[in-house]
Amino acid sequence: MSNHHADQATFSEQFLAGQRYWQTSHGRRQWQAEKQCLHQLLARSGVQHALELGVAPPLLAHDSIRHRIGWAPQRELAEHSSTLICRPEALPLADESLELVLVHHLLEVAPQPTHMLREAARVTSDSGRLILIGWHPLGIAGPARLKRCHERFYQRSRWLTPGRLRDWLRFIDFNIERIDYCGFVPFENTPDWLLMERWGRRHNLPLGRAWIISAKRQMCRMIPLKQRFDPAAMLGSKVSALACTSHESAEPLHTALPAVTSEKPLPDPAGHVHREKRSSAAPPGVMA
């Protein structure tokens, strides 16, 4: 078996493990916390076309989004007939065709996460938004990974820090707009966990189980050029006509001057002095 087929088989196993995890009580609680945080982030966004890449139940509300596209790696794993079936690093969609692309806990289990992130950015429009959701290694669930428990889906994945995602997004010309954290309940049977979630999201403490990154495409800034001062363009055509009239009535700058004669005394052997008159108007080389 080649490396490509082995990676696809492992990815399919992770996909099934993720589906089982989100059906548990712990997974449903985390899914609800992420949905509430995402709902506040996308409130009144006016998104028409969106793509959701993930293994959990849909997070994007159908009432606020006109056209939502689901995804599955294989035909057997698709839940609906309109699900997009392809590899996550090769989306059969046009460039900049979607206003919202959501990647939900998929970068940690994808065989090529950088290629997948670049492909998700490719189909995001210039005015669109790219949202990434992943496990936070520095949150309250970080110490639980030291137990090396392979039963849960989130402990088997490769966790990424927001700093690394910032570097990856800069490489594809995307800037992070904001980072939110969710999942502040330390234990599964904690009472009043909704109150703790609201308190943690209000202060946006970087201690949640997951982070939600909202990024947009980096646009080039245009430097405006200063226009030259033109009184005719600013004051109208009457000023230009007045300027032409005044120019025609003015006296010419160059006037005809009378010929100037230069007198130079010439000595004579007899002691008389004769003056030779030369006209400045005479052409050169002609004797007067």
Side-chain angles (χ1 to χ4, degrees), residues 270-283:
H272 301 281
V273 177
H274 301 279
R275 295 182 181 275
E276 181 181 3
K277 296 182 179 180
R278 295 183 181 179
S279 175
S280 60

Side-chain angles (χ1 to χ4, degrees), residues 240-269:
S240 60
L242 181 61
C244 295
T245 305
S246 61
H247 179 71
E248 293 177 356
S249 61
E251 295 182 356
L253 297 177
H254 301 284
T255 57
L257 298 177
V260 180
T261 58
S262 61
E263 298 181 356
K264 183 180 180 181
L266 299 176
D268 189 58

Side-chain angles (χ1 to χ4, degrees), residues 88-228:
E89 63 274 6
L91 300 176
L93 298 174
D95 298 347
E96 304 178 4
S97 58
L98 299 174
E99 299 175 353
L100 174 63
V101 177
L102 173 62
V103 182
H104 180 256
H105 292 286
L106 206 60
L107 292 175
E108 299 96 334
V109 297
Q112 298 176 344
T114 55
H115 295 181
M116 176 185 173
L117 182 62
R118 183 177 56 185
E119 190 70 5
R122 180 186 64 83
V123 300
T124 306
S125 61
D126 293 339
S127 59
R129 183 180 297 179
L130 176 62
I131 298 181
L132 309 175
I133 302 179
W135 302 113
H136 187 34
L138 303 180
I140 58 177
R145 299 185 63 208
L146 301 178
K147 299 179 181 179
R148 297 181 180 181
C149 179
H150 300 285
E151 297 179 358
R152 293 182 178 179
F153 164 75
Y154 71 94
Q155 292 180 345
R156 298 176 57 183
S157 58
R158 301 182 303 269
W159 292 15
L160 303 173
T161 60
R164 178 172 295 185
L165 265 301
R166 187 186 302 272
D167 296 338
W168 288 3
L169 290 172
R170 287 179 179 177
F171 185 76
I172 56 178
D173 297 334
F174 268 74
N175 290 332
I176 294 181
E177 184 182 16
R178 58 178 299 171
I179 302 177
D180 296 325
Y181 300 92
C182 60
F184 298 94
V185 181
F187 305 103
E188 297 184 4
N189 298 326
T190 303
D192 299 334
W193 66 277
L194 287 177
L195 181 62
M196 297 182 62
E197 288 292 333
R198 295 173 184 174
W199 182 81
R201 287 199 303 268
R202 179 183 301 176
H203 300 280
N204 199 19
L205 301 176
L207 300 176
R209 295 179 182 272
W211 43 255
I212 300 178
I213 295 178
S214 176
K216 288 188 175 182
R217 191 181 303 274
Q218 181 179 1
M219 305 300 294
C220 298
R221 297 183 179 179
M222 304 297 294
I223 301 177
L225 299 178
K226 295 183 179 180
Q227 298 182 358
R228 300 182 62 180

